Amino acid sequence: MLDALNERVRAVRYAATRVSLAPLLVRAAIFGTVLVGFLLAYPVQVFAARALLALTVVAVLPAFGPRRVWPTFAALVTVGGWLLAAAGFDRPIALWRLLAVATLLYLAHSLCALAALLPLDAVVDPDLILRWLTRAGGVVLASAVLGILLAGLGGVGTDRGFQAATVAGLLVAVALSALLGWLLRRR
């Protein structure tokens, strides 16, 4: 029994010495992105020592298990904090905060996808991570511009503005669905 325990300790020590820097940095970025998302989504009144500890633990989970259910769980906790702040504490919905939380949710999701592909002992070219983040930044920028334009369109007029924003949103959803269908058939 002691030999088996020593064997496991040696295996863990060997695996820990093989961990490379790039996958660790990606996982640290996951932790930071999720934690900042929590800090923006939740109201200040909730931040007690226990709540911060619980949110920190939830932010660590997707960094350790990016292939599991933890990224989805962290995203749901973030959305729950946003809803708690808006409905429970009557915090007004600010466009900058909404865009920031949406950006952090997408970046955390994208970084979890990258971390799921990288073994901990992988030797990674920094250009790969830079290209991945550039692509994610392009998606975030396009979504933010489109969201601001649609929010501005929604404020035009009284009922017609809401109707125009609804129609524009439906057109965007149909166009994206058609694009995704075309991309799937292309494969």
Side-chain angles (χ1 to χ4, degrees):
M1 178 145 137
L2 253 133
D3 289 335
L5 183 63
N6 283 336
E7 182 79 25
R8 286 189 184 215
V9 168
R10 271 190 237 123
V12 167
R13 191 178 303 151
Y14 178 72
T17 60
R18 292 186 46 102
V19 172
S20 63
L21 182 63
L24 276 181
L25 288 176
V26 170
R27 290 170 188 256
I30 292 169
F31 168 73
T33 304
V34 171
L35 190 61
V36 171
F38 288 158
L39 295 176
L40 281 174
Y42 277 88
V44 177
Q45 296 88 347
V46 174
F47 294 133
R50 286 185 182 172
L52 280 176
L53 178 65
L55 290 176
T56 304
V57 168
V58 172
V60 166
L61 292 175
F64 279 121
R67 289 185 187 170
R68 295 190 167 73
V69 71
W70 302 123
T72 303
F73 179 70
L76 289 174
V77 170
T78 304
V79 171
W82 177 267
L83 292 174
L84 176 72
F89 288 90
D90 293 329
R91 180 168 68 187
I93 297 175
L95 183 61
W96 71 268
R97 190 182 304 265
L98 178 64
L99 289 175
V101 170
T103 297
L104 291 169
L105 279 170
Y106 180 76
L107 287 178
H109 170 74
S110 183
L111 287 170
C112 283
L114 178 61
L117 295 174
L118 294 177
L120 282 172
D121 61 349
V123 177
V124 180
D125 186 14
D127 285 342
L128 175 109
I129 296 173
L130 183 66
R131 283 183 302 196
W132 189 281
L133 292 175
T134 303
R135 221 174 268 137
V139 169
V140 165
L141 181 64
S143 299
V145 167
L146 187 63
I148 290 171
L149 289 175
L150 288 176
L153 186 64
V156 175
T158 54
D159 289 337
R160 294 191 69 185
F162 291 123
Q163 190 177 29
T166 302
V167 169
L170 286 173
L171 289 175
V172 168
V174 168
L176 286 176
S177 297
L179 177 66
L180 288 174
W182 177 74
L183 288 174
L184 283 174
R185 276 182 297 191
R186 198 175 90 176
R187 280 189 161 180

